[in-house]
């Protein structure tokens, strides 16, 4: 049960786009299309932004999108806004367990 | 409105036990898979345990297997996490989260467990 690998931090200016990668293995990200992404603001509970690799729950802006290639999933955020500044975590089903990424801190400059 | 509220956290000595509760409202707990996810101070999220809807199959992270037990009381619409033989590294905020369909939504607000002498 290994953690997925994410960059520790990314940054962008308002209006710009950023992409956060999430690398797993052929036993999790590469095997299942059950990759989800969570946004967490300081002191708050996580909130789902993307599920099933690329689907957006109701209420999540279409500025957020997800994709996957092989063992790596990605979260892209376009048109960055100040309120997007938060920690982002990827998550993948791994058979009988779930693996989370270490988290990426997004800074909006 | 779907809502989850955790309780039961606190300070416990190493080797001690604690039982966390997660009260659900707005939906029937027994029909959904449910999970516990923890977050050590300043660290990332870590899946801890899950219980399937219906049949109640349980799964655990290797780090807690044999020490933690997840269960639910359908009459109280409440999820539990019994934690035994607690260690310092179990110190974290513990969140319960509903398995919507292989993704977690919603999450509770979390309850803090501190293992220290």
């Amino acid at each position: 049960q290994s953690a997925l690998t994410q960059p520790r931090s990314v940054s962008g200016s308002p209006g710009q786009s950023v992409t956060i990668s999430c690398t797993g293995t052929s036993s999790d990200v590469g095997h299942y299309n059950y990759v989800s992404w969570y946004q967490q603001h300081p002191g708050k509970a996580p909130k789902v932004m993307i599920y099933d690799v690329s689907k957006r729950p109701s209420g999540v802006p279409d500025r957020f999108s997800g994709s996957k290639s092989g063992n790596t999933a990605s979260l892209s955020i376009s048109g960055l806004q100040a309120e997007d500044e938060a920690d982002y975590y990827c998550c993948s089903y791994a058979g009988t367990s779930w693996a989370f990424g270490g988290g990426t801190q997004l800074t909006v400059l | 409105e779907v809502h989850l509220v955790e309780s039961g956290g606190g300070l416990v000595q190493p080797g001690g036990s604690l039982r966390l509760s997660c009260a659900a409202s707005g939906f029937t707990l027994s029909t959904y898979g449910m999970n516990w996810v923890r977050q050590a101070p300043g660290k990332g999220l870590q899946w801890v345990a899950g219980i399937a809807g219906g049949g109640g199959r349980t799964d655990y992270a290797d780090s807690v297997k044999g020490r933690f037990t997840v269960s639910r009381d359908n009459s109280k619409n409440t999820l539990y996490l019994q934690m035994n033989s607690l260690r310092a590294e179990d110190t974290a905020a513990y969140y319960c989260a509903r398995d919507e369909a292989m993704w977690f939504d919603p999450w509770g607000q979390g309850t803090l467990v501190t293992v220290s002498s």
Side-chain angles (χ1 to χ4, degrees):
Chain A
Q1 295 176 346
S2 301
L4 308 177
T5 301
Q6 297 180 232
R8 295 201 67 174
S9 64
V10 297
S11 62
S13 299
Q16 288 188 332
S17 299
V18 295
T19 297
I20 300 171
S21 62
C22 168
T23 302
T25 70
S26 57
S27 297
D28 39 58
V29 175
H31 190 78
Y32 299 97
N33 285 325
Y34 295 130
V35 176
S36 49
W37 289 88
Y38 301 87
Q39 177 192 65
Q40 186 181 35
H41 287 107
K44 301 294 187 181
K47 171 191 173 185
V48 63
M49 305 303 284
I50 295 288
Y51 68 95
D52 291 356
V53 175
S54 61
K55 298 177 182 177
R56 266 189 321 275
S58 173
V60 172
D62 60 6
R63 302 184 295 104
F64 290 83
S65 62
S67 62
K68 189 184 85 167
S69 177
N71 297 337
T72 299
S74 298
L75 172 71
S76 295
I77 310 171
S78 62
L80 273 177
Q81 299 182 4
E83 59 261 35
D84 299 334
E85 184 162 295
D87 293 327
Y88 291 83
Y89 294 90
C90 60
C91 178
S92 175
Y93 186 58
T96 57
S97 63
W98 292 87
F100 279 93
T104 299
Q105 183 177 53
L106 169 62
T107 301
V108 180
L109 301 170
Chain B
E1 182 185 1
V2 174
H3 206 49
L4 297 170
V5 178
E6 301 94 337
S7 60
L11 176 64
V12 60
Q13 293 187 339
S17 297
L18 211 55
R19 188 179 79 159
L20 306 183
S21 300
C22 169
S25 58
F27 71 102
T28 303
L29 191 75
S30 62
T31 62
Y32 285 85
M34 295 294 297
N35 293 271
W36 288 97
V37 178
R38 68 186 180 184
Q39 186 170 34
K43 302 297 184 180
L45 301 172
Q46 181 191 25
W47 176 79
V48 173
I51 183 167
R57 169 186 146 174
T58 57
D59 293 302
Y60 299 92
D62 289 343
S63 58
V64 307
K65 203 170 292 183
R67 300 188 298 124
F68 289 13
T69 302
V70 58
S71 63
R72 60 179 168 223
D73 184 332
N74 294 337
S75 67
K76 295 182 179 179
N77 218 36
T78 299
L79 177 75
Y80 299 102
L81 184 67
Q82 177 67 44
M83 304 186 296
N84 299 329
S85 303
L86 283 162
R87 307 166 180 167
E89 54 264 35
D90 296 318
T91 294
Y94 284 74
Y95 296 96
C96 61
R98 186 177 74 172
D99 184 340
E100 179 58 38
M102 304 304 279
W103 44 290
F104 300 152
D105 183 65
W107 298 58
Q109 86 289 348
T111 187
L112 182 62
V113 172
T114 302
V115 184
S116 174
S117 55

